[in-house]
Amino acid sequence: MRQAARLHRNCLASTVSNIRDIHSTSQKKSTAEAASEVVKEKETGGIANRFVITGEVIVSKIFPAGFGWQSSSILAENYLGYAPDTTAFALTTGLGDAVGVLVGHCGYYAIKKAVTGNDKILMKREFDTGVLLASAAFCSGSLWQPLVDVLQGANLSFNAVFCGTWVGCGTAFYAGLRIGRTVFPSILEYVEEPTYENSKTDASLSVAIGGATGFFVGTDAAYLPDQNFLIDVVGIKDGTPDLLGCAIAGSSTALGFGAAQTGLNMVYPAKKCWND
């Protein structure tokens, strides 16, 4: 009887232990599954946040940049008498591009702060950031016309001009960012000095900016119109009113940036793109 009782107690203890093990394993699996769900939610939120920031940048900087470039080209040619193939014309359009970026950026965040009451939006920081981005936009905007003239003068196909402008102006924008990060930190407290990490994020942003400048080539309805796959979307044809032409120009850069950045948003690993 005593032996039977001991056997019964041992069996009971073993059963209880197994139940605890199963319960513990179940808890571990639940915890792991929950953690996995959190990671998935974070990853989804990260992708969604990338597109939110992309939209904000298009509204606050990319559209105003194209609008500013086109406006200043009208000013340079029709009122200041600068021919499109002159340095004065190139610098004027670059300045218009830069002003569009700075005014658009600061104006957007001023309105956002007023509407949302978000104290985390510091206008001094946004001004410093706007100056950095505007200086880079001046570089790419000033290069655009001379570069397009050279590429078209070589009788390249529309696609070749499109791609060459993308690469050339994207590189100019990147150079502008790196120069700005070298020069501005001594006078603008919110501009980060050049580092290896921000060189990578600057590069990814510059790729998207290159896309904006490439699509801007599509506004030239006179060059190889049969090859211009953007002519029916953003082509600025003879007789287009000036204001409408400026709006189309802004739309072309917005479209190009949005297309390029969508690709970056989808393929870049987490925490590696400029808008993470």
Side-chain angles (χ1 to χ4, degrees):
M1 289 294 291
R2 290 178 181 176
Q3 186 175 1
R6 282 197 299 270
L7 180 60
H8 176 71
R9 284 195 298 271
N10 290 339
C11 289
L12 182 59
S14 177
T15 302
V16 171
S17 177
N18 288 337
I19 292 173
R20 287 175 177 169
D21 288 342
I22 292 171
H23 181 65
S24 176
T25 302
S26 177
Q27 280 186 323
K28 289 177 181 177
K29 286 182 178 179
S30 290
T31 302
E33 289 171 356
S36 176
E37 290 299 322
V38 169
V39 170
K40 288 179 181 178
E41 287 178 4
K42 285 183 178 179
E43 289 177 351
T44 303
I47 292 292
N49 189 59
R50 284 181 174 182
F51 280 102
V52 169
I53 294 174
T54 298
E56 287 189 331
V57 170
I58 288 174
V59 171
S60 64
K61 288 172 278 292
I62 305 304
F63 180 89
F67 191 99
W69 193 101
Q70 186 68 16
S71 299
S72 61
S73 74
I74 295 170
L75 173 66
E77 188 171 10
N78 296 347
Y79 296 95
L80 298 179
Y82 300 148
D85 60 351
T86 62
T87 300
F89 182 93
L91 295 176
T92 302
T93 52
L95 181 61
D97 199 329
V99 169
V101 170
L102 180 60
V103 172
H105 179 81
C106 293
Y108 176 84
Y109 281 100
I111 294 171
K112 184 176 181 179
K113 182 172 184 176
V115 171
T116 64
N118 187 351
D119 293 333
K120 293 182 179 180
I121 298 176
L122 304 177
M123 290 311 301
K124 178 61 171 67
R125 179 179 62 199
E126 299 308 334
F127 175 78
D128 290 0
T129 301
V131 171
L132 174 65
L133 295 172
S135 66
F138 174 79
C139 296
S140 58
S142 295
L143 178 65
W144 191 89
Q145 188 66 61
L147 177 59
V148 170
D149 287 346
V150 168
L151 296 174
Q152 291 181 346
N155 295 318
L156 299 180
S157 67
F158 175 83
N159 287 339
V161 177
F162 173 87
C163 294
T165 304
W166 185 322
V167 174
C169 288
T171 301
F173 187 87
Y174 178 77
L177 285 177
R178 303 314 290 171
I179 294 170
R181 290 193 184 281
T182 302
V183 174
F184 291 143
S186 60
I187 56 176
L188 300 176
E189 62 177 312
Y190 290 104
V191 174
E192 185 181 25
E193 294 181 348
T195 65
Y196 174 69
E197 287 302 317
N198 63 36
S199 73
K200 293 187 291 183
T201 54
D202 285 353
S204 62
L205 174 59
S206 298
V207 169
I209 294 295
T213 64
F215 272 64
F216 194 43
V217 176
T219 62
D220 185 357
Y223 186 74
L224 301 178
D226 56 321
Q227 296 182 19
N228 185 348
F229 61 91
L230 294 167
I231 193 170
D232 293 329
V233 181
V234 296
I236 301 177
K237 301 176 182 178
D238 290 340
T240 301
D242 288 345
L243 185 59
L244 177 59
C246 293
I248 293 173
S251 299
S252 73
T253 54
L255 180 63
F257 182 88
Q261 189 57 48
T262 294
L264 296 177
N265 287 345
M266 299 305 295
V267 303
Y268 254 72
K271 307 298 182 183
K272 297 296 184 182
C273 200
W274 66 267
N275 54 352
D276 285 325

